[in-house]
Amino acid sequence: MRSGDGRGEDEEIITLIDDDYARRILIETYGEARSAEALSDACDASESTIYRRVEQLRERDLLEGVQRLDPGGHHHEEYVARMERVTVELTDDGFVVDVDRTEKEEAADRFTRLYEELSG
């Protein structure tokens, strides 16, 4: 899947994945959704730093937010990586970036998961 329709977005993705915190967030959320607090601990960064990187990753559709319910019935957001692979190709016109992403969770699947968390 093509990451974008211009070199500007390609450069933004390269710059973003060059950032230590952004890379660590992607690694930490690749196998399982993680909260901002858990990411803050894992990345040894402030939550404000984590939230800034999360927003940047979400803007480029490399990270997805999912709602989770805790045992007390409260919900909070966790994050899961959508990026599986990035390919950078050198061409006569410069670099071309292709990003392979996981499928987004559909609304019906999200509702079913939330219901199962509540009733389980």
Side-chain angles (χ1 to χ4, degrees), residues 10-76:
D10 288 352
E11 291 173 10
E12 289 173 3
I13 289 175
I14 290 170
T15 300
L16 186 57
I17 61 174
D18 188 44
D19 179 81
D20 290 336
Y21 292 123
R23 275 196 320 274
R24 188 72 190 161
I25 289 168
L26 290 169
I27 291 166
E28 291 293 326
T29 59
Y30 182 70
E32 121 186 38
R34 305 281 303 268
S35 68
E37 182 179 354
L39 290 170
S40 176
D41 291 342
C43 298
D44 193 27
S46 68
E47 283 191 39
S48 61
T49 297
I50 296 301
Y51 280 118
R52 279 192 301 273
R53 293 318 187 287
V54 162
E55 185 60 29
Q56 292 170 332
L57 290 164
R58 290 181 77 175
E59 286 173 356
R60 282 142 193 97
D61 205 23
L62 302 177
L63 194 71
E64 179 178 13
V66 293
Q67 293 294 318
R68 298 286 188 213
L69 294 174
D70 64 26
H74 300 95
H75 69 276
H76 63 278

Side-chain angles (χ1 to χ4, degrees), residues 1-4 13 17 26 30 60-63 81-88 97-104:
M1 171 183 294
R2 178 86 172 97
S3 67
I13 289 175
I17 61 174
L26 290 169
Y30 182 70
R60 282 142 193 97
D61 205 23
L62 302 177
L63 194 71
R82 291 209 53 235
M83 184 184 85
E84 290 189 342
R85 178 180 33 227
V86 174
T87 306
V88 180
V97 178
D98 288 315
V99 179
D100 292 337
R101 294 174 173 87
T102 60
E103 294 295 320
K104 281 191 173 186

Side-chain angles (χ1 to χ4, degrees), residues 45 75 92 95:
H75 69 276
D92 290 336
F95 291 99

